[in-house]
Amino acid sequence: MIELQEEIYEFNIPLLATAIHDGHKVRPETGKYLAIDEYQRLREEDPYTGYFTDIAESRIVVGTSRFEVDVNRPREGSVYRSPDQSWGIQVWKKEVPVSVWEYSYGEYDFFYSRLERIINRFIDFWGYIVVYDIHSYNYLRNGKDMEEADPEGNPEINVGTGSMDRELWADTVDCFLSSVKNYDYQGRKLYAAENIRFKGGYMAKWIHSRFPGKSCVLSIELKKIFMDEWTGAVDIVGIRDLKNALKESVPSVLEAAKATALR
């Protein structure tokens, strides 16, 4: 089934960190039918996001590539069967056996059944849950040495809140943004914003609809300032500092979420 590269649940605090697009592995049965090469896959995946989940005691890191199954899409779109679902990239060769895709849908179902059980355990114990849903995105799509995408429209930290009850969780979201905006990142402040680049994906929507009033998913998209998006090389100092920016937001976020949950 879908590879959960890291799966740790402590339940000591009501926080779960996830990196559901970190994975790069594909099954041999899948790989032989892929038209996309490994280099292209890596550019569109979210490498190193699993590293950021270390800010929480409880975390899920998916090891399976989103090009085998994307658990941040609705089930019917979780396999990229046409280029319009995958940034114009032709993912599959012709004449893929239906069994290959059916297996991927089974992986998808396994992931969500497991996620539901885990969240239920958090809510049974705490009454609510906060999820740091961590992703990353490219901003040099035209080439490594080309002009980067408009900085104003591409925050270094984008928090997506499109599917949550924004009024209910206002203090929690505001605490997160305030914390990361005021963090001293290599002698400067980070540009963090809400719903500028992304508003959150399907997993956040699924959690919010399944556990209304008891779940606050912060869909965090990190601009790939901590790595070279074309070569995959990581900036060790930068990635550590960015992780610390997220880590320092946790106490105030959990305090605000607790106050909301106990109203």
Side-chain angles (χ1 to χ4, degrees), residues 82-256:
S82 62
D84 64 322
Q85 295 175 295
S86 50
W87 311 279
I89 298 170
Q90 181 65 44
V91 174
W92 300 95
K93 298 175 182 177
K94 295 180 179 179
E95 300 179 359
V96 180
V98 174
S99 60
V100 172
W101 291 335
E102 288 299 326
Y103 190 95
S104 292
Y105 293 131
E107 293 182 300
Y108 183 95
D109 295 339
F110 170 80
F111 174 82
Y112 274 99
S113 65
R114 193 164 187 83
L115 181 63
E116 184 169 33
R117 289 197 299 272
I118 295 305
I119 293 178
N120 271 318
R121 288 187 63 187
F122 272 100
I123 291 175
D124 286 346
F125 191 83
W126 289 98
Y128 64 101
I129 185 173
V130 175
V131 180
Y132 275 37
D133 170 29
I134 303 171
H135 301 264
S136 63
Y137 74 95
N138 297 320
Y139 66 103
L140 293 169
R141 284 197 172 274
N142 293 328
K144 182 178 179 180
D145 299 317
M146 303 297 287
E147 185 177 0
E148 68 177 74
D150 174 28
E152 190 66 25
N154 292 270
E156 291 167 315
I157 299 179
N158 180 102
V159 59
T161 61
S163 64
M164 73 163 57
D165 183 338
R166 183 61 176 81
E167 184 176 355
L168 176 64
W169 298 106
D171 291 344
T172 306
V173 177
D174 291 345
C175 280
F176 174 79
L177 284 169
S178 176
S179 179
V180 295
K181 283 180 178 179
N182 288 298
Y183 181 79
D184 182 3
Y185 177 76
Q186 301 186 350
R188 65 176 181 84
K189 302 300 183 185
L190 289 159
Y191 171 33
E194 181 180 358
N195 296 334
I196 298 295
R197 191 68 170 78
F198 301 96
K199 295 184 178 181
Y202 180 77
M203 187 182 77
K205 182 179 180 180
W206 182 90
I207 294 173
H208 287 141
S209 64
R210 208 81 161 190
F211 306 96
K214 298 179 180 180
S215 59
C216 176
V217 182
L218 300 175
S219 294
I220 301 164
E221 290 277 356
L222 304 173
K223 191 175 182 179
K224 290 183 179 177
I225 58 172
F226 58 89
M227 63 175 288
D228 185 320
E229 69 183 62
W230 283 92
T231 68
V234 67
D235 174 0
I236 299 296
V237 175
I239 198 171
R240 286 176 179 169
D241 208 11
L242 194 56
K243 182 176 82 168
N244 201 48
L246 297 183
K247 185 176 182 179
E248 288 200 2
S249 73
V250 169
S252 61
V253 164
L254 291 185
E255 191 63 31

Side-chain angles (χ1 to χ4, degrees), residues 6-17 53-60 122 126 250:
E6 186 169 37
E7 191 180 18
I8 301 173
Y9 309 112
E10 295 292 344
F11 303 103
N12 293 321
I13 58 174
L15 176 66
L16 175 67
T53 65
D54 192 44
I55 63 173
E57 294 180 2
S58 301
R59 49 196 180 269
I60 299 174
F122 272 100
W126 289 98
V250 169

